[in-house]
């Protein structure tokens, strides 16, 4: 028997590849399926089942394409109602893969169909728990995402989650290995550990949600401090539930190479968003007017989902050479399937064609220090609230970039402001969005708060972010 965690850092998502005696199972596969198919072929094993822990909100699973290409059935837990052929398993049902078995544990709460899968090894020993979004390391799945579909409050769903965890998961023995669907950085929880594998026994000791005195305290702790979910979550759920375009079709369309004249013509005719995925330093020096920058070198896909939101938005790409396929693939993972093509030759081709360009008014932290010395200025800190409360510039306003579509309406065009994030990645995103919407009276600070920290700009006392999150 072999268990392999296939972890994708950008999404903080774990898929699982399990083999035994010539047969395989895959749990919560990523959108692109060819790597799984290649591995199955290389190892000469047959994919017997594709297990889905729930209808994922933060990424589009590869279950449909993988089933179509391998003929392996898709398995969901009780109450799931997908709009495609699947096995809807009963609670406690066993599935055999080679010499091992996988037992279905229906654990509603995060969503109504949420299910964990318990692996029983060749000797009949319960060995591993694939816990989906029911149990994370250090946290549990947020109970507010399924409210509308379930016609329940988040408190009612949290109560269901309590029953699932305390009556089905906690009674399992301590030596079981927990393999969650997500780790730190995912918006599906609020307090996840950086580790991606742990024992259930250690989680019983260290996970705050598993150490509540009663159901009421559990509900209070789990629902406290939840941030609004990203806008694209609901659309991803629908794609996972209803179906989607083949990834092969999406990739083929997205790799449509366009010369500058074609690129410009399609942009004007289609209303496509120009998405520039180059790193923030390169982008700031020069870009196509109206382009939005979300760097491929950061948490790219989640930020696309949070800031663009509508998965049906047509997109045109500007990338570094050789990054086109990676960009289309990572966009597809969160359901952005309508990439119309990319600028052949990148931004350099656009400049050589004599097309109009734009840039960001960006200064160093040292120049920022000089410019604000002894003056009353407006400073906007676009980091997360927890980062802001941990340490910030005196008098700076907290305006997280995740909510830019809300606070942008409060920006006064005639009032200049300085803007920074942690390192420059997010502030360049914000700068591009502001300029695309006609706001230009601002200065962005290169290097963000990391660079500002080395200046004498007055700052608040540092408070550990962990303490803030655990209040």
């Amino acid at each position: 028997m072999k268990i392999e965690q296939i972890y994708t850092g950008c999404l903080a998502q774990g898929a699982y590849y399990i083999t035994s005696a010539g047969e395989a199972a895959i749990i919560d596969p990523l959108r692109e399926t060819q790597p799984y198919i290649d591995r199955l072929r290389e190892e000469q094993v047959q994919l017997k089942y594709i297990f889905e822990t729930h209808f994922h909100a933060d990424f589009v699973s590869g279950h449909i394409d993988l089933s179509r290409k391998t003929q392996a059935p898709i398995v969901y837990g009780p109450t799931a109602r997908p709009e495609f052929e699947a096995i809807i398993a009963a609670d406690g049902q066993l599935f055999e893969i080679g010499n091992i078995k996988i037992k279905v544990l229906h654990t509603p709460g995060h969503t109504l169909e949420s299910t964990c899968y318990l692996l029983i090894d060749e000797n009949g020993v319960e060995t591993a728990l694939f816990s989906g979004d029911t149990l994370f390391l250090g946290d549990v799945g947020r109970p507010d995402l399924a409210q509308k579909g379930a016609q329940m409050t988040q408190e009612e769903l949290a109560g269901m989650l309590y029953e699932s965890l305390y009556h089905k998961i906690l009674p399992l023995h301590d030596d079981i290995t927990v393999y969650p669907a997500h780790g730190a950085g995912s918006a599906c929880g609020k307090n996840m550990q950086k580790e991606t594998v742990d024992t259930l026994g250690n989680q019983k000791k260290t996970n705050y949600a598993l150490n509540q005195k009663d159901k009421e305290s559990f509900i209070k702790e789990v629902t406290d401090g939840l941030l609004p979910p990203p806008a694209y979550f609901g659309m991803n759920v629908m794609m996972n539930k209803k179906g989607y375009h083949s990834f092969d079709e999406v990739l083929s369309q997205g790799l449509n190479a366009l010369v500058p004249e074609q690129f410009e013509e399609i942009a004007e005719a289609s209303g496509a968003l120009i998405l520039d995925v180059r790193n923030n330093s390169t982008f700031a020096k020069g870009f196509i007017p109206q382009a939005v920058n979300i760097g491929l070198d950061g948490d790219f896909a989640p930020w696309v989902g949070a800031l663009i939101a509508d998965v049906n938005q047509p997109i045109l790409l500007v990338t570094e050479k050789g990054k086109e396929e990676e960009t289309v693939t990572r966009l597809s993972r969160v359901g952005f399937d309508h990439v119309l093509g990319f600028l052949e030759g990148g931004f350099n081709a656009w400049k050589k064609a004599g097309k109009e360009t734009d840039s960001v008014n960006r200064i160093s932290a040292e120049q920022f220090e000089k410019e604000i010395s002894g003056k009353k200025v407006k400073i906007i800190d676009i980091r997360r609230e927890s980062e802001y409360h941990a340490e910030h510039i005196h008098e700076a306003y907290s305006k997280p970039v995740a909510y830019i579509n809300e606070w942008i309406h409060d920006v006064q065009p005639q009032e200049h402001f300085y803007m920074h994030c942690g390192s420059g990645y997010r502030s360049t995103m914000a700068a591009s969005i502001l300029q695309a919407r006609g706001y230009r009276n601002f200065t962005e600070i290169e290097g963000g708060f990391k660079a500002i920290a080395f200046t004498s700009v007055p700052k608040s006392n540092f408070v550990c972010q962990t303490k803030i999150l655990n209040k």
Side-chain angles (χ1 to χ4, degrees):
M1 177 188 75
K2 181 178 75 173
I3 300 171
E4 182 177 352
Q5 182 185 66
I6 303 171
Y7 198 79
T8 304
C10 179
L11 291 174
Q13 187 266 342
Y16 297 94
Y17 178 82
I18 306 158
T19 58
S20 174
E23 293 184 335
I26 296 176
I27 300 176
D28 294 339
L30 271 183
R31 179 76 181 272
E32 63 274 23
T33 59
Q34 196 57 46
Y36 304 118
I37 293 169
D38 291 343
R39 183 170 301 187
L40 292 164
R41 187 180 297 119
E42 289 168 8
E43 298 182 2
Q44 297 184 330
V45 294
Q46 178 186 359
L47 183 60
K48 194 169 183 182
Y49 297 110
I50 302 160
F51 292 99
E52 288 285 298
T53 55
H54 63 297
F55 295 125
H56 309 281
D58 62 321
F59 75 100
V60 178
S61 175
H63 56 314
I64 297 174
D65 276 352
L66 191 56
S67 179
R68 186 185 301 125
K69 291 181 177 181
T70 64
Q71 307 306 309
I74 301 166
V75 180
Y76 279 97
T79 76
R81 296 291 181 268
E83 296 184 16
F84 46 82
E85 187 175 349
I87 296 172
I88 307 304
D91 190 25
Q93 185 172 343
L94 292 171
F95 291 85
E96 294 186 1
I97 299 99
N99 298 323
I100 64 173
K101 295 181 177 67
I102 287 185
K103 183 179 181 179
V104 175
L105 297 180
H106 186 211
T107 50
H110 173 63
T111 64
L112 293 183
E113 80 284 352
S114 283
T115 297
C116 297
Y117 296 104
L118 181 63
L119 188 147
I120 302 169
D121 70 12
E122 302 92 333
N123 301 312
V125 177
E126 296 176 346
T127 302
L129 181 72
F130 302 94
S131 59
D133 283 21
T134 296
L135 174 63
F136 298 127
L137 306 187
D139 203 356
V140 294
R142 56 191 297 171
D144 62 323
L145 299 182
Q147 288 176 243
K148 186 175 180 181
Q151 295 183 324
M152 299 170 70
T153 66
Q154 66 178 19
E155 287 76 20
E156 289 171 324
L157 284 163
M160 292 181 73
L161 185 59
Y162 173 87
E163 299 293 335
S164 296
L165 288 164
Y166 279 71
H167 295 159
K168 286 193 172 179
I169 305 302
L170 284 179
L172 300 173
H173 65 77
D174 290 356
D175 293 337
I176 285 175
T177 303
V178 177
Y179 293 103
H182 294 291
S186 169
C188 292
K190 60 181 181 180
N191 194 45
M192 299 186 210
Q193 297 170 356
K194 64 180 184 297
E195 295 80 12
T196 62
V197 177
D198 197 7
T199 63
L200 182 57
N202 192 51
Q203 284 303 300
K204 290 177 183 179
K205 295 176 184 176
T206 61
N207 191 319
Y208 78 96
L210 304 183
N211 286 281
Q212 298 302 314
K213 61 182 180 179
D214 53 34
K215 187 174 183 177
E216 288 69 28
S217 64
F218 175 90
I219 293 171
K220 181 181 182 300
E221 289 298 322
V222 168
T223 57
D224 183 51
L226 288 174
L227 296 174
Y232 76 101
F233 269 25
M235 300 179 200
N236 276 199
V237 170
M238 288 299 102
M239 292 177 73
N240 284 316
K241 188 174 184 178
K242 293 176 179 289
Y244 46 72
H245 296 293
S246 163
F247 171 73
D248 296 336
E249 295 174 12
V250 172
L251 183 61
S252 177
Q253 176 181 277
L255 295 183
N256 180 26
L258 303 167
V259 298
E261 289 73 20
Q262 293 173 309
F263 189 92
E264 187 174 40
E265 183 179 328
I266 292 174
E268 291 175 355
S270 66
L273 172 77
I274 299 173
L275 180 61
D276 191 323
V277 304
R278 295 174 297 155
N279 71 66
N280 68 83
S281 296
T282 303
F283 176 88
K285 293 172 184 174
F287 58 90
I288 298 172
Q290 306 298 308
V292 169
N293 174 243
I294 304 178
L296 200 61
D297 56 351
D299 289 335
F300 173 68
W303 277 120
V304 168
L307 297 177
I308 300 176
D310 182 3
V311 298
N312 296 312
Q313 169 68 52
I315 292 172
L316 287 166
L317 294 176
V318 179
T319 76
E320 296 288 2
K321 186 177 180 180
K323 293 294 185 178
E324 301 87 3
E325 182 171 342
E326 179 186 352
T327 305
V328 176
T329 298
R330 290 172 67 175
L331 284 168
S332 76
R333 290 174 182 169
V334 286
F336 287 82
D337 289 356
H338 299 282
V339 178
L340 305 182
F342 68 92
L343 180 60
E344 188 172 24
F347 182 66
N348 285 335
W350 183 267
K351 284 197 300 182
K352 287 179 181 178
K355 302 291 185 182
E356 183 183 355
T357 65
D358 200 354
S359 61
V360 174
N361 180 20
R362 179 180 243 205
I363 62 172
S364 67
E366 292 76 18
Q367 181 62 30
F368 170 64
E369 180 183 17
K370 292 176 184 176
E371 289 189 14
I372 69 169
S373 180
K375 299 176 184 176
K376 186 172 178 59
V377 298
K378 185 173 184 178
I379 302 167
I380 293 180
D381 183 333
I382 66 164
R383 297 175 299 162
R384 295 189 305 271
E385 288 181 348
S386 59
E387 294 174 276
Y388 175 84
H389 290 304
E391 189 177 16
H392 61 265
I393 299 170
H394 282 313
E395 308 302 326
Y397 293 90
S398 176
K399 300 284 186 181
V401 68
Y403 309 124
I404 190 170
N405 291 321
E406 299 168 16
W407 60 255
I408 195 171
H409 303 293
D410 299 325
V411 175
Q412 300 298 320
Q414 71 278 7
E415 183 182 22
H416 176 269
F417 62 91
Y418 293 90
M419 179 174 65
H420 76 86
C421 65
S423 64
Y425 180 84
R426 288 169 288 179
S427 57
T428 313
M429 292 194 301
S432 68
I433 293 170
L434 286 162
Q435 292 189 193
R437 298 189 191 178
Y439 297 91
R440 306 190 66 89
N441 195 13
F442 66 87
T443 302
E444 188 240 345
I445 303 161
E446 184 177 9
F449 196 79
K450 287 182 180 177
I452 295 168
F454 290 99
T455 70
S456 61
V457 173
K459 294 171 280 289
S460 65
N461 292 327
F462 175 75
V463 179
C464 178
Q465 286 189 52
T466 303
K467 291 182 180 179
I468 294 166
L469 290 169
N470 290 335
K471 274 186 178 179

